[in-house]
Amino acid sequence: MDLSTGQFFVLGINAAQVESQLSRINPKEFIVPDKLIEKPEFFETFRNHRAILTPQPSARFDSQNAIKRLKTLYGVNAMDAFGDFSRAELAAAGALLDYVELTQKGKVPRVAALRRPSAGDLMEIDAATRRNLELVLTISGERRGSLLSIIDQTVTGPGARLLAAYLSSPLTRPDQINARLDAVQYLLNENGLRQDLRAKLKGSGDIARSLSRLSLGRGGPRDLAAIGKGLEIADELANLLADDALLPPLLTKAKEQLGHNRSQIDRLNFALAEDLPLLARDGGFIAENFDPDLDELRGLKSHSRQLIAALQQKYREETNVSTLKIKHNNVLGYFIEISAGQADKIPIEADSTFIHRQTLANAIRFTTVELNELDSKVATAGDKAVTLELEFFELLRQEILDAGEQVATAAEALAVIDLFCSQAELSESRGWCRPIVDDSLELSITAGKHPVVEQAVVQQDEGQPETFIANDCHLNSDARMWLLTGPNMAGKSTFLRQNALIVVLAQIGSYVPATKAHIGVVDRLFSRVGAADDLAKGRSTFMVEMVETAIILNQATERSFVILDEIGRGTATFDGLSIAWATVESLLEVNHSRSLFATHYHELTALAEKQAALSCHTMKIKEWQDQIIFMHEVVDGTADRSYGIHVAKLAGLPSNTVNRANEILEKLEKGDEASTISLLANDLPLFQVQNTAPPPAKIPEHLKTLETALKAVNPDDLSPREALESLYQLRALMAEAD
Ligand code: ADP
């Protein structure tokens, strides 16, 4: 449940899916029946998320009670109207409602109808893959640099939220995906319409948040106004979307949802004043002419003000004190004030009109019976007006909440339109293409780009936007795996990730950074890329890598897409190679997944001879004057070397180490490994290697005085004679030191 918008979802899943669903939803808190906490299969997950986990008594997860609660909440006799929910789902929903009521002190927010995002309809992405692909956050937890930050062209908060939600939950049904793509395409073609929609959307605010604040009793007059304004814009949007037979179904649906709130809009427009206070109790937010009683009270108040002004004039004349003032504060109410110097002009005998109230350092305050009467009249009128306004606030609040479902639907439609416009805007400005999405096992991308790296590369080379090199990727049920070799820094990881990102983009219904793309829907996306030590959990890099690989081999299906970057690097060469080899075979023969496998083990390319579904590709490089140049281009074939030493040199490894490494490599490449290693160990050249830059020599103790004296000399300040003198002094010091 999202308390801020009232959205309420339920989903039945098995134990293995808990982790990936949690990472998809990324909740602020989740509740768990305490009985479940002890179950070994959940141990790891619950430990990982203990900061946001709240155990609840298992008794609260009772389906019978839950049904009762839900029926009361929605005011229905049977839950059937909401769909076919399992007992477990109902129990979970009921327990959550219970918990919300408990924590919100009995105020359950407006809750939308319970819905189920069917598990089978969403692409599964495990937690590690989500993190690695940096979909909505980067690995370091920032939004900037994530895929979301690059694709977000929305103009409203709710639109941006919806886009983040879409990106976290790509779809798997081609019909649903294509329906979204149709909407994007329509808005892409209808440029003028799109600009009009976006211009209007900008002022539409955040209806859902205001609605939720009102329902939780935290809202104020400005929330009512925000809803009124938002609905007004929704209405205008509905009119902009023409009754066009070509309007795609999702936009037709949105249009339908936008425009049913005329009565609420008119009511709020009529009721609310121009300038609104933050809090209802400050009053003054109900417009004139809304209610005659309120107008009368307000009239009294302003009339009294005139009376007070007249009174001030009268007293000035009576006392001849032209600086006499009638003022107001919260303690005294209205009072008369004169400066201390004029005090003798006020008669203070017992029968005088003026009654003394207060003496300050330079002022004296009085009141009169007449003023007192007026004061209480004004105060009462003010109090009465505020009380009345509060009643109207409550009335309007209730009216809006009664129409809550309709209002929330309009808010959702606004977000949806913002999102589709954003997608269209993006594809236009970046020249992306509409992917073909179907049930095939194709994964064919022509001239694909990594949207985030591309942006970074373009920013580096301003004015040369063509510097990011586009690459193809062609996989299908017969050609299931590409084995990618090439040096570090050549662009292997970028290539792997870009294809995964393109799949995600296609399946959220977005255009993709390519000239052509055909994506047979992917049910699960797996990645094993650049693991880091997870020392907090007591796992080494290699262990993390193997855990992730195990998940892939156990779960990937024919429909899955797997990207693997350098499997087996964290252990000895032969161990690593063996694991990588066996993993490739498994993926090809058992899982049948489409996959990209980047590796430094060139030995693996031998597999291509017996595995028809495997083909070898490499990152093109050029050698030039003892240097290598990365072309960032994926071509058929195998890298003949890793160029690790070149990269080490680029990174600034000392030249003697680089030279020595080259020497060893040459020997290793020539001879057989075992005998070369013993030979190398015996010729001990490592110890002969001299450091090119000797460490700076330390100045001996007895020369320190000399150094100090020398530093004290400032040649620019010395006359020739003084210079000569200090030279003699220095020599004398040196003689002493010797
Ligand atoms: P590898 O995985 O082979 O070590 P990366 O994928 O990490 O290499 O890429 C290294 C760098 O090369 C990236 O940070 C990016 O700046 C640049 N790069 C990668 N791919 C491309 C490309 N297709 N076009 C231009 N620059 C690229």
Side-chain angles (χ1 to χ4, degrees):
M1 181 184 293
D2 183 343
L3 270 188
S4 70
T5 59
Q7 296 214 36
F8 194 19
F9 289 102
V10 65
L11 178 64
I13 51 174
N14 59 39
Q17 294 170 302
V18 172
E19 182 77 49
S20 84
Q21 287 296 334
L22 273 174
S23 70
R24 176 176 73 83
I25 299 162
N26 195 15
K28 292 264 184 327
E29 182 177 6
F30 73 107
I31 62 168
V32 171
D34 46 17
K35 267 195 203 137
L36 219 59
I37 294 199
E38 287 135 35
K39 298 235 164 139
E41 62 265 42
F42 294 117
F43 181 74
E44 183 85 8
T45 303
F46 289 165
R47 197 176 61 157
N48 289 347
H49 297 280
R50 59 177 176 271
I52 54 165
L53 178 151
T54 308
Q56 286 289 294
S58 303
R60 282 183 184 258
F61 289 76
D62 172 70
S63 60
Q64 287 310 316
N65 269 340
I67 293 174
K68 269 190 224 141
R69 294 201 138 279
L70 290 161
K71 282 188 194 162
T72 325
L73 176 74
Y74 294 119
V76 293
N77 286 329
M79 276 307 287
D80 305 352
F82 292 96
D84 180 19
F85 295 108
S86 70
R87 273 188 50 212
E89 286 170 333
L90 291 170
L96 183 55
L97 268 184
D98 235 10
Y99 183 68
V100 168
E101 196 168 318
L102 194 76
T103 49
Q104 299 300 313
K105 305 202 177 103
K107 284 198 172 127
V108 176
R110 195 200 69 80
V111 177
L114 188 61
R115 277 190 271 176
R116 173 166 44 206
S118 156
D121 291 351
L122 298 181
M123 183 199 284
E124 269 198 44
I125 313 177
D126 60 87
T129 302
R130 260 172 220 284
R131 218 174 23 250
N132 289 333
L133 291 179
E134 309 193 302
L135 297 179
V136 291
L137 291 176
T138 62
I139 290 186
S140 52
E142 290 163 46
R143 190 173 187 275
R144 210 186 126 113
S146 65
L147 179 62
L148 177 62
S149 73
I150 297 284
I151 65 169
D152 185 1
Q153 308 272 332
T154 56
V155 293
T156 68
R161 283 204 301 272
L162 188 66
L163 182 61
Y166 272 30
L167 197 54
S168 299
S169 312
L171 304 173
T172 53
R173 275 181 39 195
D175 57 336
Q176 292 180 338
I177 297 168
N178 284 313
R180 288 187 185 175
L181 284 166
D182 288 343
V184 177
Q185 184 169 10
Y186 182 85
L187 290 168
L188 178 65
N189 296 338
E190 299 287 330
N191 198 3
L193 170 68
R194 184 175 81 241
Q195 300 316 335
D196 291 348
L197 290 171
R198 279 165 67 85
K200 287 219 181 298
L201 274 165
K202 278 183 188 148
S204 67
D206 198 337
I207 295 182
R209 286 260 154 101
S210 289
L211 196 57
S212 157
R213 268 201 294 273
L214 288 173
S215 70
L216 286 167
R218 296 187 198 127
R222 290 184 192 170
D223 288 305
L224 288 176
I227 292 174
K229 174 104 186 289
L231 292 176
E232 180 90 62
I233 288 176
D235 217 39
E236 289 168 11
L237 249 54
N239 291 333
L240 277 177
L241 290 167
D243 283 320
D244 178 351
L246 294 176
L247 200 65
L250 286 183
L251 290 178
T252 310
K253 183 175 160 208
K255 177 180 163 69
E256 169 65 20
Q257 292 174 335
L258 284 170
H260 294 288
N261 295 291
R262 199 63 248 170
S263 58
Q264 277 77 28
I265 302 168
D266 292 341
R267 174 85 167 145
L268 289 172
N269 276 344
F270 180 55
L272 294 174
E274 282 284 311
D275 289 325
L276 299 172
L278 188 63
L279 303 172
R281 65 162 184 270
D282 291 338
F285 55 88
I286 294 288
E288 258 176 64
N289 297 331
F290 178 73
D291 178 72
D293 289 346
L294 183 63
D295 286 346
E296 195 189 317
L297 286 168
R298 284 181 176 162
L300 207 64
K301 214 171 138 182
S302 62
H303 180 60
S304 312
R305 287 215 189 91
Q306 287 165 12
L307 290 182
I308 281 170
L311 212 54
Q312 174 172 291
Q313 193 49 38
K314 182 176 122 190
Y315 293 148
R316 279 182 183 177
E317 282 162 14
E318 265 180 37
T319 57
N320 245 342
V321 180
S322 63
T323 52
L324 176 148
K325 281 200 182 91
I326 295 185
K327 291 185 170 179
H328 182 269
N329 73 24
N330 286 337
V331 184
L332 298 182
Y334 283 99
F335 55 86
I336 300 159
E337 186 174 287
I338 59 159
S339 65
Q342 313 263 8
D344 53 347
K345 299 206 173 149
I346 304 286
I348 46 165
E349 320 63 77
D351 62 344
S352 156
T353 338
F354 296 94
I355 307 159
H356 177 259
R357 295 292 312 259
Q358 207 175 20
T359 303
L360 304 177
N362 41 22
I364 305 189
R365 291 171 174 177
F366 301 90
T367 185
T368 65
V369 176
E370 206 177 354
L371 184 62
N372 255 345
E373 272 169 12
L374 253 180
D375 182 44
S376 62
K377 235 189 205 165
V378 173
T380 336
D383 284 353
K384 275 193 188 151
V386 169
T387 316
L388 203 54
E389 283 202 73
L390 282 174
E391 273 168 30
F392 289 136
F393 177 75
E394 196 43 44
L395 182 74
L396 293 168
R397 186 180 88 100
Q398 207 47 56
E399 282 173 15
I400 290 296
L401 292 181
D402 289 347
E405 199 57 42
Q406 214 171 297
V407 173
T409 313
E412 266 174 46
L414 282 174
V416 164
I417 292 177
D418 187 16
L419 181 135
F420 288 142
C421 283
S422 158
Q423 307 273 53
E425 195 72 19
L426 178 76
S427 26
E428 187 181 71
S429 63
R430 305 285 287 271
W432 289 9
C433 80
R434 176 176 174 154
I436 299 168
V437 179
D438 57 20
D439 268 329
S440 70
L441 289 173
E442 278 300 309
L443 204 160
S444 181
I445 294 162
T446 308
K449 290 180 177 179
H450 189 302
V452 184
V453 177
E454 181 194 16
Q455 195 88 329
V457 169
V458 170
Q459 272 163 9
Q460 268 170 24
D461 287 314
E462 268 189 35
Q464 296 176 23
E466 293 308 320
T467 36
F468 189 90
I469 308 301
N471 279 305
D472 293 359
C473 171
H474 300 292
L475 298 169
N476 56 44
S477 53
D478 298 324
R480 292 192 293 278
M481 183 188 288
W482 277 22
L483 195 70
L484 190 63
T485 47
N488 281 317
M489 288 302 289
K492 298 186 300 300
S493 318
T494 307
F495 178 69
L496 258 52
R497 286 159 201 254
Q498 88 186 23
N499 291 301
L501 294 181
I502 288 173
V503 167
V504 169
L505 284 170
Q507 291 189 215
I508 68 166
S510 162
Y511 277 38
V512 298
T515 54
K516 228 161 90 181
H518 183 173
I519 311 291
V521 282
V522 166
D523 64 348
R524 288 168 171 213
L525 182 62
F526 294 99
S527 77
R528 220 299 33 251
V529 292
D533 275 345
D534 200 343
L535 294 178
K537 280 195 225 150
R539 288 168 173 177
S540 67
T541 312
F542 183 63
M543 187 64 185
V544 174
E545 188 182 321
M546 286 302 109
V547 168
E548 290 180 10
T549 311
I551 292 176
I552 296 173
L553 295 180
N554 286 326
Q555 299 185 3
T557 71
E558 176 189 56
R559 279 233 150 263
S560 305
F561 180 45
V562 181
I563 59 172
L564 289 153
D565 201 355
E566 305 201 14
I567 283 266
R569 300 290 293 166
T571 181
T573 314
F574 284 151
D575 274 17
L577 175 58
S578 320
I579 292 171
W581 190 289
T583 304
V584 170
E585 285 182 346
S586 281
L587 275 172
L588 283 167
E589 292 167 12
V590 182
N591 304 89
H592 295 276
S593 314
R594 288 161 287 178
S595 44
L596 296 174
F597 197 115
T599 184
H600 280 291
Y601 295 124
H602 301 146
E603 295 84 344
L604 287 179
T605 54
L607 270 165
E609 281 162 26
K610 66 173 186 129
Q611 295 279 4
L614 175 77
S615 60
C616 295
H617 303 264
T618 182
M619 302 305 302
K620 190 169 164 188
I621 51 155
K622 270 191 186 161
E623 287 190 62
W624 183 75
Q625 290 189 350
D626 206 23
Q627 287 189 20
I628 50 168
I629 301 170
F630 303 121
M631 307 303 288
H632 302 302
E633 193 183 327
V634 178
V635 292
D636 290 349
T638 309
D640 50 355
R641 301 193 266 149
S642 271
Y643 297 93
I645 299 176
H646 281 86
V647 176
K649 190 172 157 192
L650 284 183
L653 232 61
S655 57
N656 54 337
T657 313
V658 172
N659 294 341
R660 175 66 179 146
N662 267 322
E663 206 179 300
I664 298 172
L665 180 66
E666 210 171 290
K667 285 199 174 129
L668 282 171
E669 279 176 349
K670 265 191 212 144
D672 89 284
E673 193 161 344
S675 60
T676 312
I677 286 174
S678 76
L679 204 106
L680 280 167
N682 288 333
D683 73 21
L684 298 177
L686 261 179
F687 299 102
Q688 294 160 15
V689 176
Q690 282 274 323
N691 264 319
T692 39
K698 260 190 147 179
I699 297 175
E701 208 43 53
H702 66 277
L703 286 182
K704 279 269 166 75
T705 16
L706 190 62
E707 193 199 19
T708 322
L710 196 56
K711 274 187 183 154
V713 176
N714 188 354
D716 290 335
D717 291 341
L718 300 181
S719 66
R721 192 198 170 99
E722 283 166 341
L724 197 62
E725 261 168 28
S726 57
L727 195 57
Y728 280 121
Q729 276 166 12
L730 287 170
R731 279 199 60 140
L733 272 175
M734 201 163 88
E736 262 174 49
D738 279 344

mmCIF file of all heavy atoms in Angstrom, residues 206-225:
data_model
loop_
_atom_site.group_PDB
_atom_site.id
_atom_site.type_symbol
_atom_site.label_atom_id
_atom_site.label_comp_id
_atom_site.label_asym_id
_atom_site.label_seq_id
_atom_site.Cartn_x
_atom_site.Cartn_y
_atom_site.Cartn_z
ATOM 1 N N ASP A 206 -0.423 17.590 -7.823
ATOM 2 C CA ASP A 206 -0.369 16.203 -7.365
ATOM 3 C C ASP A 206 -1.673 15.856 -6.643
ATOM 4 O O ASP A 206 -1.756 15.883 -5.419
ATOM 5 C CB ASP A 206 0.841 16.046 -6.437
ATOM 6 C CG ASP A 206 1.223 14.588 -6.260
ATOM 7 O OD1 ASP A 206 0.339 13.728 -6.463
ATOM 8 O OD2 ASP A 206 2.381 14.324 -5.923
ATOM 9 N N ILE A 207 -2.678 15.552 -7.456
ATOM 10 C CA ILE A 207 -4.013 15.293 -6.904
ATOM 11 C C ILE A 207 -3.990 14.156 -5.881
ATOM 12 O O ILE A 207 -4.574 14.254 -4.800
ATOM 13 C CB ILE A 207 -4.994 14.928 -8.047
ATOM 14 C CG1 ILE A 207 -5.164 16.124 -8.975
ATOM 15 C CG2 ILE A 207 -6.327 14.482 -7.495
ATOM 16 C CD1 ILE A 207 -6.137 15.884 -10.107
ATOM 17 N N ALA A 208 -3.280 13.085 -6.229
ATOM 18 C CA ALA A 208 -3.314 11.896 -5.374
ATOM 19 C C ALA A 208 -2.773 12.201 -3.978
ATOM 20 O O ALA A 208 -3.331 11.763 -2.970
ATOM 21 C CB ALA A 208 -2.518 10.763 -6.012
ATOM 22 N N ARG A 209 -1.687 12.955 -3.924
ATOM 23 C CA ARG A 209 -1.103 13.290 -2.613
ATOM 24 C C ARG A 209 -2.076 14.140 -1.796
ATOM 25 O O ARG A 209 -2.251 13.917 -0.603
ATOM 26 C CB ARG A 209 0.205 14.062 -2.792
ATOM 27 C CG ARG A 209 1.356 13.206 -3.256
ATOM 28 C CD ARG A 209 2.261 12.826 -2.084
ATOM 29 N NE ARG A 209 2.959 11.569 -2.369
ATOM 30 C CZ ARG A 209 4.220 11.489 -2.774
ATOM 31 N NH1 ARG A 209 4.923 12.571 -2.922
ATOM 32 N NH2 ARG A 209 4.771 10.314 -3.018
ATOM 33 N N SER A 210 -2.691 15.127 -2.470
ATOM 34 C CA SER A 210 -3.635 15.986 -1.748
ATOM 35 C C SER A 210 -4.820 15.174 -1.246
ATOM 36 O O SER A 210 -5.275 15.343 -0.112
ATOM 37 C CB SER A 210 -4.140 17.106 -2.659
ATOM 38 O OG SER A 210 -3.113 18.032 -2.888
ATOM 39 N N LEU A 211 -5.288 14.277 -2.082
ATOM 40 C CA LEU A 211 -6.426 13.445 -1.713
ATOM 41 C C LEU A 211 -6.086 12.626 -0.484
ATOM 42 O O LEU A 211 -6.879 12.499 0.457
ATOM 43 C CB LEU A 211 -6.751 12.531 -2.896
ATOM 44 C CG LEU A 211 -8.109 11.853 -2.900
ATOM 45 C CD1 LEU A 211 -9.205 12.887 -2.812
ATOM 46 C CD2 LEU A 211 -8.275 11.021 -4.165
ATOM 47 N N SER A 212 -4.876 12.072 -0.496
ATOM 48 C CA SER A 212 -4.476 11.243 0.624
ATOM 49 C C SER A 212 -4.326 12.074 1.900
ATOM 50 O O SER A 212 -4.746 11.652 2.979
ATOM 51 C CB SER A 212 -3.175 10.532 0.269
ATOM 52 O OG SER A 212 -2.504 10.166 1.423
ATOM 53 N N ARG A 213 -3.749 13.280 1.760
ATOM 54 C CA ARG A 213 -3.620 14.141 2.948
ATOM 55 C C ARG A 213 -4.993 14.464 3.519
ATOM 56 O O ARG A 213 -5.195 14.398 4.729
ATOM 57 C CB ARG A 213 -2.894 15.434 2.581
ATOM 58 C CG ARG A 213 -1.387 15.351 2.780
ATOM 59 C CD ARG A 213 -0.792 16.735 2.917
ATOM 60 N NE ARG A 213 -0.924 17.494 1.698
ATOM 61 C CZ ARG A 213 -0.036 17.443 0.695
ATOM 62 N NH1 ARG A 213 1.031 16.675 0.799
ATOM 63 N NH2 ARG A 213 -0.224 18.145 -0.389
ATOM 64 N N LEU A 214 -5.927 14.743 2.632
ATOM 65 C CA LEU A 214 -7.273 15.059 3.112
ATOM 66 C C LEU A 214 -7.878 13.864 3.825
ATOM 67 O O LEU A 214 -8.501 13.994 4.866
ATOM 68 C CB LEU A 214 -8.173 15.484 1.943
ATOM 69 C CG LEU A 214 -7.899 16.855 1.342
ATOM 70 C CD1 LEU A 214 -8.727 17.073 0.092
ATOM 71 C CD2 LEU A 214 -8.189 17.960 2.365
ATOM 72 N N SER A 215 -7.661 12.676 3.256
ATOM 73 C CA SER A 215 -8.299 11.502 3.852
ATOM 74 C C SER A 215 -7.668 11.165 5.193
ATOM 75 O O SER A 215 -8.311 10.599 6.059
ATOM 76 C CB SER A 215 -8.238 10.312 2.896
ATOM 77 O OG SER A 215 -6.917 9.862 2.806
ATOM 78 N N LEU A 216 -6.417 11.523 5.383
ATOM 79 C CA LEU A 216 -5.775 11.242 6.659
ATOM 80 C C LEU A 216 -5.968 12.377 7.662
ATOM 81 O O LEU A 216 -5.408 12.348 8.742
ATOM 82 C CB LEU A 216 -4.275 11.015 6.450
ATOM 83 C CG LEU A 216 -3.902 9.680 5.812
ATOM 84 C CD1 LEU A 216 -2.460 9.683 5.369
ATOM 85 C CD2 LEU A 216 -4.167 8.542 6.768
ATOM 86 N N GLY A 217 -6.768 13.394 7.258
ATOM 87 C CA GLY A 217 -7.036 14.491 8.172
ATOM 88 C C GLY A 217 -5.858 15.436 8.301
ATOM 89 O O GLY A 217 -5.766 16.195 9.255
ATOM 90 N N ARG A 218 -4.923 15.361 7.353
ATOM 91 C CA ARG A 218 -3.770 16.255 7.440
ATOM 92 C C ARG A 218 -3.843 17.378 6.407
ATOM 93 O O ARG A 218 -2.940 18.187 6.307
ATOM 94 C CB ARG A 218 -2.472 15.486 7.185
ATOM 95 C CG ARG A 218 -2.194 14.446 8.222
ATOM 96 C CD ARG A 218 -0.798 13.865 7.989
ATOM 97 N NE ARG A 218 -0.673 12.617 8.680
ATOM 98 C CZ ARG A 218 -0.288 11.477 8.135
ATOM 99 N NH1 ARG A 218 0.023 11.436 6.858
ATOM 100 N NH2 ARG A 218 -0.213 10.386 8.853
ATOM 101 N N GLY A 219 -4.885 17.357 5.615
ATOM 102 C CA GLY A 219 -4.941 18.306 4.498
ATOM 103 C C GLY A 219 -5.470 19.670 4.919
ATOM 104 O O GLY A 219 -6.001 19.845 6.021
ATOM 105 N N GLY A 220 -5.302 20.642 4.053
ATOM 106 C CA GLY A 220 -5.812 21.985 4.306
ATOM 107 C C GLY A 220 -6.493 22.529 3.071
ATOM 108 O O GLY A 220 -6.649 21.812 2.072
ATOM 109 N N PRO A 221 -6.902 23.807 3.126
ATOM 110 C CA PRO A 221 -7.596 24.424 1.989
ATOM 111 C C PRO A 221 -6.797 24.324 0.693
ATOM 112 O O PRO A 221 -7.369 24.180 -0.383
ATOM 113 C CB PRO A 221 -7.730 25.885 2.403
ATOM 114 C CG PRO A 221 -7.594 25.888 3.880
ATOM 115 C CD PRO A 221 -6.747 24.739 4.252
ATOM 116 N N ARG A 222 -5.458 24.398 0.805
ATOM 117 C CA ARG A 222 -4.664 24.346 -0.426
ATOM 118 C C ARG A 222 -4.758 22.981 -1.103
ATOM 119 O O ARG A 222 -4.597 22.878 -2.318
ATOM 120 C CB ARG A 222 -3.201 24.668 -0.120
ATOM 121 C CG ARG A 222 -3.034 26.126 0.255
ATOM 122 C CD ARG A 222 -1.599 26.495 0.476
ATOM 123 N NE ARG A 222 -1.536 27.801 1.105
ATOM 124 C CZ ARG A 222 -0.438 28.341 1.601
ATOM 125 N NH1 ARG A 222 0.710 27.662 1.525
ATOM 126 N NH2 ARG A 222 -0.466 29.522 2.156
ATOM 127 N N ASP A 223 -5.011 21.930 -0.310
ATOM 128 C CA ASP A 223 -5.199 20.608 -0.925
ATOM 129 C C ASP A 223 -6.493 20.568 -1.730
ATOM 130 O O ASP A 223 -6.548 19.991 -2.817
ATOM 131 C CB ASP A 223 -5.204 19.522 0.143
ATOM 132 C CG ASP A 223 -3.807 19.305 0.712
ATOM 133 O OD1 ASP A 223 -2.888 19.053 -0.082
ATOM 134 O OD2 ASP A 223 -3.629 19.415 1.931
ATOM 135 N N LEU A 224 -7.535 21.201 -1.157
ATOM 136 C CA LEU A 224 -8.805 21.258 -1.903
ATOM 137 C C LEU A 224 -8.590 21.995 -3.222
ATOM 138 O O LEU A 224 -9.028 21.557 -4.284
ATOM 139 C CB LEU A 224 -9.863 21.994 -1.085
ATOM 140 C CG LEU A 224 -10.432 21.258 0.131
ATOM 141 C CD1 LEU A 224 -11.384 22.177 0.886
ATOM 142 C CD2 LEU A 224 -11.157 19.988 -0.300
ATOM 143 N N ALA A 225 -7.858 23.126 -3.124
ATOM 144 C CA ALA A 225 -7.637 23.922 -4.329
ATOM 145 C C ALA A 225 -6.801 23.148 -5.340
ATOM 146 O O ALA A 225 -7.064 23.197 -6.548
ATOM 147 C CB ALA A 225 -6.942 25.224 -3.954
#
